[in-house]
Protein backbone atom coordinates (compact mmCIF):
# COMPACT_ATOMS: atom_id res chain seq x y z
CA UNK A 1 0.00 0.00 0.00
CA UNK A 2 2.68 2.43 1.03
CA UNK A 3 4.91 1.52 -1.92
CA UNK A 4 1.95 2.07 -4.23
CA UNK A 5 1.59 5.49 -2.71
CA UNK A 6 5.25 6.24 -3.37
CA UNK A 7 4.92 5.04 -6.96
CA UNK A 8 1.93 7.33 -7.53
CA UNK A 9 3.90 10.24 -6.12
CA UNK A 10 6.86 9.32 -8.33
CA UNK A 11 4.71 9.46 -11.44
CA UNK A 12 3.19 12.77 -10.39
CA UNK A 13 6.62 14.13 -9.50
CA UNK A 14 7.96 13.27 -12.92
CA UNK A 15 4.96 14.81 -14.60
CA UNK A 16 6.44 18.24 -14.06
CA UNK A 17 7.54 20.25 -17.10
CA UNK A 18 10.98 19.58 -18.56
CA UNK A 19 13.82 22.12 -18.59
CA UNK A 20 13.42 24.58 -21.46
CA UNK A 21 16.25 24.23 -23.97
CA UNK A 22 16.96 28.00 -23.96
CA UNK A 23 17.63 27.76 -20.23
CA UNK A 24 20.34 25.18 -20.85
CA UNK A 25 21.81 27.46 -23.54
CA UNK A 26 21.81 30.35 -21.03
CA UNK A 27 23.70 28.22 -18.52
CA UNK A 28 26.25 27.34 -21.15
CA UNK A 29 26.79 31.04 -21.95
CA UNK A 30 27.28 31.77 -18.24
CA UNK A 31 30.01 29.16 -17.98
CA UNK A 32 31.91 31.10 -20.64
CA UNK A 33 31.44 34.37 -18.70
CA UNK A 34 32.68 32.55 -15.59
CA UNK A 35 35.97 31.82 -17.31
CA UNK A 36 36.33 35.45 -18.41
CA UNK A 37 35.64 36.57 -14.82
CA UNK A 38 38.73 34.72 -13.63
CA UNK A 39 40.87 37.24 -15.56
CA UNK A 40 39.81 40.02 -13.13
CA UNK A 41 42.23 38.56 -10.57
CA UNK A 42 45.16 39.47 -12.81
CA UNK A 43 44.31 43.20 -13.06
CA UNK A 44 46.02 44.48 -9.84
CA UNK A 45 49.15 42.58 -10.83
CA UNK A 46 49.22 44.25 -14.25
CA UNK A 47 48.86 47.71 -12.64
CA UNK A 48 51.75 47.05 -10.25
CA UNK A 49 53.91 45.75 -13.11
CA UNK A 50 53.10 48.83 -15.23
CA UNK A 51 53.98 51.15 -12.31
CA UNK A 52 57.25 49.28 -11.74
CA UNK A 53 58.18 49.52 -15.41
CA UNK A 54 57.43 53.27 -15.33
CA UNK A 55 59.61 53.66 -12.23
CA UNK A 56 62.39 51.68 -13.92
CA UNK A 57 62.27 53.84 -17.03
CA UNK A 58 62.12 57.10 -15.09
CA UNK A 59 63.83 56.33 -11.80
CA UNK A 60 63.38 58.86 -9.02
CA UNK A 61 62.79 58.32 -5.29
CA UNK A 62 59.12 59.18 -5.55
CA UNK A 63 58.22 56.81 -8.40
CA UNK A 64 60.28 53.99 -6.84
CA UNK A 65 58.59 54.55 -3.47
CA UNK A 66 55.21 54.59 -5.21
CA UNK A 67 55.88 51.32 -7.09
CA UNK A 68 57.24 49.62 -3.94
CA UNK A 69 54.22 50.82 -1.96
CA UNK A 70 51.84 49.30 -4.51
CA UNK A 71 53.67 45.97 -4.30
CA UNK A 72 53.40 46.06 -0.52
CA UNK A 73 49.64 46.57 -0.80
CA UNK A 74 49.34 43.77 -3.37
CA UNK A 75 51.34 41.36 -1.21
CA UNK A 76 49.24 42.26 1.83
CA UNK A 77 46.12 41.60 -0.24
CA UNK A 78 47.44 38.26 -1.48
CA UNK A 79 48.52 37.23 2.00
CA UNK A 80 45.13 38.10 3.44
CA UNK A 81 43.37 36.39 0.52
CA UNK A 82 45.32 33.15 1.04
CA UNK A 83 44.74 33.11 4.80
CA UNK A 84 41.11 34.17 4.55
CA UNK A 85 40.20 31.62 1.89
CA UNK A 86 41.69 28.74 3.88
CA UNK A 87 39.09 26.01 4.17
CA UNK A 88 36.66 27.69 1.78
CA UNK A 89 37.63 25.94 -1.45
CA UNK A 90 36.19 22.49 -0.97
CA UNK A 91 33.96 20.71 1.54
CA UNK A 92 35.66 18.60 4.21
CA UNK A 93 33.51 15.64 3.17
CA UNK A 94 31.29 14.93 0.22
CA UNK A 95 28.03 15.44 2.09
CA UNK A 96 25.35 18.12 2.25
CA UNK A 97 26.23 18.76 5.90
CA UNK A 98 29.82 19.46 4.85
CA UNK A 99 28.61 21.74 2.09
CA UNK A 100 26.53 23.70 4.61
CA UNK A 101 29.66 23.98 6.75
CA UNK A 102 31.52 25.23 3.68
CA UNK A 103 28.83 27.84 2.97
CA UNK A 104 29.14 29.05 6.57
CA UNK A 105 32.92 29.31 6.20
CA UNK A 106 32.45 31.29 2.99
CA UNK A 107 30.04 33.72 4.67
CA UNK A 108 32.51 34.27 7.49
CA UNK A 109 35.30 34.68 4.97
CA UNK A 110 33.29 37.34 3.12
CA UNK A 111 32.60 39.26 6.34
CA UNK A 112 36.33 39.21 7.16
CA UNK A 113 37.27 40.30 3.69
CA UNK A 114 34.73 43.15 3.84
CA UNK A 115 36.47 44.59 6.93
CA UNK A 116 39.87 44.14 5.28
CA UNK A 117 38.64 45.75 2.05
CA UNK A 118 37.31 48.83 3.85
CA UNK A 119 40.60 49.40 5.70
CA UNK A 120 42.74 48.66 2.64
CA UNK A 121 40.61 50.81 0.33
CA UNK A 122 41.03 53.81 2.60
CA UNK A 123 44.77 53.27 3.02
CA UNK A 124 45.35 52.54 -0.65
CA UNK A 125 43.28 55.51 -1.81
CA UNK A 126 45.17 57.87 0.49
CA UNK A 127 48.50 56.35 -0.62
CA UNK A 128 47.72 56.55 -4.35
CA UNK A 129 46.22 60.04 -4.24
CA UNK A 130 49.03 61.46 -2.11
CA UNK A 131 51.60 59.70 -4.32
CA UNK A 132 49.99 60.97 -7.52
CA UNK A 133 49.74 64.49 -6.11
CA UNK A 134 53.41 64.50 -5.10
CA UNK A 135 54.54 63.16 -8.46
CA UNK A 136 52.44 65.64 -10.43
CA UNK A 137 53.50 68.46 -8.14
CA UNK A 138 57.22 67.66 -8.39
CA UNK A 139 56.90 67.41 -12.19
CA UNK A 140 55.46 70.95 -12.15
CA UNK A 141 52.13 69.93 -13.65
CA UNK A 142 49.96 71.59 -11.02
CA UNK A 143 51.09 75.16 -11.50
CA UNK A 144 48.18 76.19 -13.72
CA UNK A 145 44.84 76.61 -11.99
CA UNK A 146 42.99 74.62 -14.68
CA UNK A 147 45.20 71.55 -14.34
CA UNK A 148 45.05 71.80 -10.54
CA UNK A 149 41.27 71.80 -10.70
CA UNK A 150 41.22 68.90 -13.15
CA UNK A 151 43.38 66.82 -10.81
CA UNK A 152 41.23 67.77 -7.80
CA UNK A 153 38.13 66.76 -9.75
CA UNK A 154 39.59 63.41 -10.78
CA UNK A 155 40.62 62.76 -7.15
CA UNK A 156 37.10 63.54 -5.97
CA UNK A 157 35.67 61.29 -8.68
CA UNK A 158 37.99 58.46 -7.56
CA UNK A 159 36.92 58.89 -3.93
CA UNK A 160 33.28 58.92 -5.06
CA UNK A 161 33.64 55.70 -7.07
CA UNK A 162 35.42 53.91 -4.21
CA UNK A 163 32.78 55.08 -1.73
CA UNK A 164 30.05 53.78 -4.04
CA UNK A 165 31.76 50.39 -4.38
CA UNK A 166 32.11 50.19 -0.57
CA UNK A 167 28.43 51.08 -0.25
CA UNK A 168 27.50 48.21 -2.60
CA UNK A 169 29.76 45.84 -0.68
CA UNK A 170 28.15 46.89 2.60
CA UNK A 171 24.75 45.95 1.16
CA UNK A 172 26.12 42.54 0.28
CA UNK A 173 27.55 42.35 3.79
CA UNK A 174 24.08 42.79 5.27
CA UNK A 175 22.75 40.05 3.00
CA UNK A 176 25.66 37.78 3.97
CA UNK A 177 24.93 38.31 7.67
CA UNK A 178 21.33 37.19 7.14
CA UNK A 179 22.55 34.22 5.07
CA UNK A 180 25.02 33.26 7.81
CA UNK A 181 22.32 33.38 10.49
CA UNK A 182 20.08 31.16 8.35
CA UNK A 183 22.87 28.66 7.63
CA UNK A 184 23.85 28.41 11.30
CA UNK A 185 20.22 27.75 12.17
CA UNK A 186 19.94 25.17 9.38
CA UNK A 187 23.16 23.49 10.51
CA UNK A 188 21.72 23.29 14.00
CA UNK A 189 18.52 21.73 12.63
CA UNK A 190 20.40 19.23 10.47
CA UNK A 191 22.59 18.22 13.41
CA UNK A 192 19.51 17.75 15.58
CA UNK A 193 17.94 15.70 12.81
CA UNK A 194 20.98 13.45 12.73
CA UNK A 195 20.77 12.78 16.43
CA UNK A 196 17.15 11.71 16.19
CA UNK B 1 41.29 17.64 -20.98
CA UNK B 2 39.16 20.81 -20.87
CA UNK B 3 37.23 19.68 -23.95
CA UNK B 4 36.45 16.34 -22.34
CA UNK B 5 35.33 18.10 -19.14
CA UNK B 6 33.01 20.33 -21.16
CA UNK B 7 31.67 17.33 -23.00
CA UNK B 8 31.06 15.49 -19.73
CA UNK B 9 29.36 18.56 -18.26
CA UNK B 10 26.95 18.77 -21.20
CA UNK B 11 26.25 15.05 -20.97
CA UNK B 12 25.50 15.33 -17.25
CA UNK B 13 23.24 18.31 -17.83
CA UNK B 14 21.39 16.47 -20.58
CA UNK B 15 21.01 13.32 -18.47
CA UNK B 16 20.05 14.93 -15.16
CA UNK B 17 18.54 18.25 -16.34
CA UNK B 18 14.91 17.19 -15.80
CA UNK B 19 15.64 15.85 -12.29
CA UNK B 20 17.55 19.01 -11.39
CA UNK B 21 14.66 21.10 -12.68
CA UNK B 22 12.22 19.18 -10.46
CA UNK B 23 14.52 19.62 -7.50
CA UNK B 24 14.72 23.37 -8.23
CA UNK B 25 10.92 23.52 -8.35
CA UNK B 26 10.68 22.03 -4.87
CA UNK B 27 12.70 24.95 -3.46
CA UNK B 28 11.00 27.77 -5.37
CA UNK B 29 7.53 29.19 -5.93
CA UNK B 30 7.62 30.64 -9.43
CA UNK B 31 8.89 29.31 -12.78
CA UNK B 32 11.40 32.16 -13.07
CA UNK B 33 12.81 31.41 -9.60
CA UNK B 34 12.99 27.75 -10.57
CA UNK B 35 14.97 28.66 -13.69
CA UNK B 36 17.29 30.89 -11.63
CA UNK B 37 17.99 28.11 -9.17
CA UNK B 38 18.46 25.63 -11.99
CA UNK B 39 21.08 27.94 -13.50
CA UNK B 40 22.82 28.27 -10.12
CA UNK B 41 22.91 24.51 -9.74
CA UNK B 42 24.22 23.98 -13.27
CA UNK B 43 26.98 26.53 -12.70
CA UNK B 44 27.88 24.95 -9.36
CA UNK B 45 28.19 21.57 -11.10
CA UNK B 46 30.41 23.12 -13.77
CA UNK B 47 32.68 24.56 -11.06
CA UNK B 48 32.74 21.34 -9.03
CA UNK B 49 33.19 18.93 -11.92
CA UNK B 50 37.02 19.24 -12.18
CA UNK B 51 37.21 18.12 -8.51
CA UNK B 52 35.06 15.04 -9.09
CA UNK B 53 37.37 12.06 -8.57
CA UNK B 54 34.84 9.32 -9.13
CA UNK B 55 34.71 8.38 -5.43
CA UNK B 56 30.94 8.29 -5.67
CA UNK B 57 28.55 7.82 -8.59
CA UNK B 58 27.97 10.77 -10.88
CA UNK B 59 24.32 10.85 -9.86
CA UNK B 60 25.24 11.11 -6.17
CA UNK B 61 27.77 13.83 -6.98
CA UNK B 62 25.26 15.84 -9.03
CA UNK B 63 22.56 15.69 -6.37
CA UNK B 64 24.99 16.55 -3.60
CA UNK B 65 26.03 19.73 -5.40
CA UNK B 66 22.40 20.47 -6.27
CA UNK B 67 21.17 20.06 -2.67
CA UNK B 68 23.96 22.31 -1.46
CA UNK B 69 23.07 25.02 -3.97
CA UNK B 70 19.39 24.72 -3.11
CA UNK B 71 20.10 25.12 0.60
CA UNK B 72 22.29 28.15 -0.11
CA UNK B 73 19.51 29.54 -2.31
CA UNK B 74 17.11 29.30 0.63
CA UNK B 75 19.65 31.09 2.81
CA UNK B 76 20.12 33.90 0.33
CA UNK B 77 16.45 34.49 -0.28
CA UNK B 78 14.95 37.32 1.77
CA UNK B 79 12.73 36.96 3.71
CA UNK B 80 12.67 33.14 4.05
CA UNK B 81 9.35 31.48 3.26
CA UNK B 82 7.43 30.52 6.37
CA UNK B 83 7.46 26.92 5.17
CA UNK B 84 11.26 26.82 5.49
CA UNK B 85 10.90 27.17 9.21
CA UNK B 86 7.75 25.21 9.96
CA UNK B 87 4.85 23.53 8.27
CA UNK B 88 2.26 26.10 7.40
CA UNK B 89 -0.94 24.28 6.56
CA UNK B 90 -2.71 25.84 3.59
CA UNK B 91 -6.12 27.42 3.76
CA UNK B 92 -8.53 24.57 2.88
CA UNK B 93 -11.15 26.94 1.43
CA UNK B 94 -11.31 26.83 -2.36
CA UNK B 95 -9.39 29.56 -4.12
CA UNK B 96 -11.19 30.51 -7.34
CA UNK B 97 -8.00 31.81 -9.03
CA UNK B 98 -5.84 28.84 -8.20
CA UNK B 99 -8.63 26.28 -8.26
CA UNK B 100 -7.88 25.13 -11.80
CA UNK B 101 -4.17 24.66 -11.17
CA UNK B 102 -4.69 22.91 -7.85
CA UNK B 103 -6.84 20.30 -9.52
CA UNK B 104 -3.74 18.99 -11.17
CA UNK B 105 -2.19 16.29 -9.04
CA UNK B 106 1.38 17.19 -9.98
CA UNK B 107 0.87 20.72 -8.75
CA UNK B 108 -0.69 19.54 -5.52
CA UNK B 109 2.23 17.24 -4.84
CA UNK B 110 4.78 19.93 -5.67
CA UNK B 111 3.05 22.49 -3.46
CA UNK B 112 2.93 20.02 -0.59
CA UNK B 113 6.63 19.20 -0.99
CA UNK B 114 7.47 22.91 -1.03
CA UNK B 115 5.84 23.18 2.38
CA UNK B 116 7.96 20.48 3.99
CA UNK B 117 10.84 21.49 6.28
CA UNK B 118 14.08 21.36 4.33
CA UNK B 119 15.48 18.22 6.02
CA UNK B 120 12.36 16.24 4.99
CA UNK B 121 12.11 17.90 1.58
CA UNK B 122 15.65 16.73 0.77
CA UNK B 123 14.87 13.11 1.59
CA UNK B 124 11.53 12.92 -0.21
CA UNK B 125 12.75 14.60 -3.41
CA UNK B 126 15.75 12.27 -3.61
CA UNK B 127 13.47 9.29 -2.99
CA UNK B 128 11.15 10.40 -5.78
CA UNK B 129 14.21 10.54 -8.05
CA UNK B 130 14.65 6.79 -7.45
CA UNK B 131 17.64 7.07 -5.15
CA UNK B 132 18.28 4.29 -2.66
CA UNK B 133 18.68 4.79 1.10
CA UNK B 134 22.43 4.37 0.81
CA UNK B 135 22.65 6.93 -2.03
CA UNK B 136 20.55 9.44 -0.09
CA UNK B 137 22.68 8.84 3.01
CA UNK B 138 25.79 9.50 0.92
CA UNK B 139 24.37 12.71 -0.56
CA UNK B 140 23.20 14.14 2.75
CA UNK B 141 25.96 12.82 4.98
CA UNK B 142 23.60 11.04 7.38
CA UNK B 143 23.08 7.41 8.37
CA UNK B 144 20.79 5.10 6.39
CA UNK B 145 18.57 4.55 9.43
CA UNK B 146 18.20 8.31 9.73
CA UNK B 147 17.15 8.43 6.07
CA UNK B 148 14.40 5.95 6.91
CA UNK B 149 13.23 7.97 9.89
CA UNK B 150 13.16 11.21 7.92
CA UNK B 151 11.43 9.57 4.97
CA UNK B 152 8.66 8.21 7.18
CA UNK B 153 8.10 11.62 8.73
CA UNK B 154 8.22 13.28 5.33
CA UNK B 155 5.59 10.87 3.99
CA UNK B 156 3.32 11.44 6.97
CA UNK B 157 3.55 15.20 6.58
CA UNK B 158 3.07 14.95 2.82
CA UNK B 159 -0.06 12.83 3.23
CA UNK B 160 -1.45 15.34 5.69
CA UNK B 161 -0.65 18.32 3.48
CA UNK B 162 -2.16 16.68 0.41
CA UNK B 163 -5.30 15.77 2.31
CA UNK B 164 -5.73 19.37 3.44
CA UNK B 165 -5.18 20.67 -0.07
CA UNK B 166 -7.81 18.39 -1.59
Amino acid sequence: MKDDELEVWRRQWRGQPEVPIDLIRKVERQTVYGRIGLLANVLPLLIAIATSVAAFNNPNPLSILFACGLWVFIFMGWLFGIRNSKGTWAPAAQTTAAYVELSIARCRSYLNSFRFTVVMSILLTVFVLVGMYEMLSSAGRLQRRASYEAVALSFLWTIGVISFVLFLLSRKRRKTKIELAYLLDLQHKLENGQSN
Amino acid sequence: MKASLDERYHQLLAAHGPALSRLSASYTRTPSDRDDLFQDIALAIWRALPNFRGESSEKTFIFRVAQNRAVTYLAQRRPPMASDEEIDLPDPRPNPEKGFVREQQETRLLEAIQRLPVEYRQVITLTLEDMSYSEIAEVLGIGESNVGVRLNRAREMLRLLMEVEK
Side-chain angles (χ1 to χ4, degrees):
Chain A
M1 172 60 195
K2 285 188 179 179
D3 287 338
D4 288 347
E5 176 189 66
L6 210 50
E7 278 312 309
V8 170
W9 285 349
R10 269 198 186 106
R11 275 201 303 277
Q12 291 173 354
W13 179 245
R14 297 194 173 188
Q16 289 180 56
E18 298 275 305
V19 198
I21 190 73
D22 58 336
L23 180 59
I24 292 182
R25 296 271 177 279
K26 198 173 173 183
V27 168
E28 287 171 356
R29 277 199 301 277
Q30 281 179 326
T31 58
V32 175
Y33 298 150
R35 286 197 189 104
I36 295 168
L38 293 174
L39 292 175
N41 296 330
V42 183
L43 195 65
L45 187 65
L46 291 178
I47 292 171
I49 289 171
T51 314
S52 302
V53 169
F56 186 78
N57 288 336
N58 182 22
N60 64 65
L62 212 57
S63 60
I64 292 169
L65 189 72
F66 190 64
C68 290
L70 279 183
W71 278 110
V72 168
F73 276 110
I74 282 180
F75 278 121
M76 281 167 70
W78 279 347
L79 209 65
F80 173 80
I82 291 167
R83 292 180 71 173
N84 192 44
S85 61
K86 222 173 187 175
T88 61
W89 292 108
Q94 294 295 314
T95 64
T96 298
Y99 272 106
V100 171
E101 180 69 44
L102 181 68
S103 299
I104 289 171
R106 283 177 179 167
C107 284
R108 287 185 171 140
S109 165
Y110 177 78
L111 294 175
N112 286 338
S113 71
F114 174 78
R115 281 191 288 273
F116 181 81
T117 304
V118 170
V119 173
M120 285 296 275
S121 300
I122 293 168
L123 291 177
L124 188 60
T125 306
V126 170
F127 176 79
V128 169
L129 295 187
V130 169
M132 292 294 287
Y133 180 84
E134 287 297 327
M135 281 196 283
L136 290 170
S137 180
S138 63
R141 291 184 184 174
L142 296 178
Q143 285 170 354
R144 284 191 305 138
R145 186 180 170 83
S147 54
Y148 188 85
E149 282 175 355
V151 169
L153 204 66
S154 66
F155 280 16
L156 281 175
W157 187 82
T158 305
I159 291 169
V161 168
I162 289 167
S163 303
F164 183 66
V165 171
L166 289 179
F167 167 72
L168 292 180
L169 289 176
S170 74
R171 288 184 66 179
K172 194 186 170 194
R173 174 175 162 259
R174 275 200 294 274
K175 206 175 163 188
T176 306
K177 276 185 163 179
I178 293 167
E179 184 181 340
L180 179 62
Y182 173 86
L183 287 169
L184 287 171
D185 181 52
L186 181 68
Q187 187 184 44
H188 180 71
K189 279 184 187 170
L190 291 175
E191 280 168 1
N192 283 349
Q194 284 175 39
S195 66
N196 281 341
Chain B
M1 176 67 184
K2 183 154 266 183
S4 69
L5 259 184
D6 281 353
E7 203 177 310
R8 205 157 124 222
Y9 170 68
H10 295 310
Q11 282 169 356
L12 285 175
L13 215 56
H16 299 288
L20 295 177
S21 177
R22 289 191 286 269
L23 186 138
S24 305
S26 73
Y27 284 91
T28 52
R29 286 292 167 92
T30 65
S32 72
D33 282 351
R34 183 200 66 176
D35 289 355
D36 284 349
L37 178 57
F38 177 84
Q39 286 175 60
D40 276 1
I41 289 171
L43 282 175
I45 290 168
W46 175 67
R47 289 196 188 103
L49 197 55
N51 301 323
F52 178 57
R53 303 271 174 262
E55 289 150 356
S56 60
S57 73
E58 274 187 343
K59 190 178 178 186
T60 310
F61 164 76
I62 294 282
F63 277 94
R64 195 182 295 134
V65 175
Q67 288 288 353
N68 171 54
R69 270 315 305 165
V71 162
T72 310
Y73 169 84
L74 286 181
Q76 288 169 341
R77 196 185 42 198
R78 246 173 66 182
M81 288 193 297
S83 55
D84 297 333
E85 305 303 324
E86 59 194 29
I87 293 183
D88 178 21
L89 294 179
D91 186 348
R93 287 171 298 183
N95 179 334
E97 287 177 11
K98 291 187 177 174
F100 174 71
V101 179
R102 287 196 178 187
E103 280 176 14
Q104 297 177 356
Q105 290 175 319
E106 291 91 350
T107 309
R108 270 203 303 127
L109 176 69
L110 176 61
E111 286 181 353
I113 287 174
Q114 286 169 340
R115 289 175 182 276
L116 290 176
V118 68
E119 58 271 33
Y120 300 130
R121 205 183 317 174
Q122 288 177 325
V123 174
I124 195 76
T125 51
L126 293 174
T127 303
L128 295 179
E129 292 299 342
D130 267 341
M131 294 186 86
S132 66
Y133 275 29
S134 62
E135 284 176 320
I136 297 171
E138 202 181 328
V139 168
L140 300 179
I142 58 177
E144 285 186 37
S145 58
N146 203 352
V147 172
V149 171
R150 286 192 197 187
L151 182 59
N152 283 336
R153 287 185 188 170
R155 289 178 70 167
E156 282 167 22
M157 287 181 187
L158 208 50
R159 247 175 252 133
L160 182 69
L161 285 164
M162 291 188 67
E163 276 302 310
V164 173
E165 284 197 15
K166 261 182 190 172

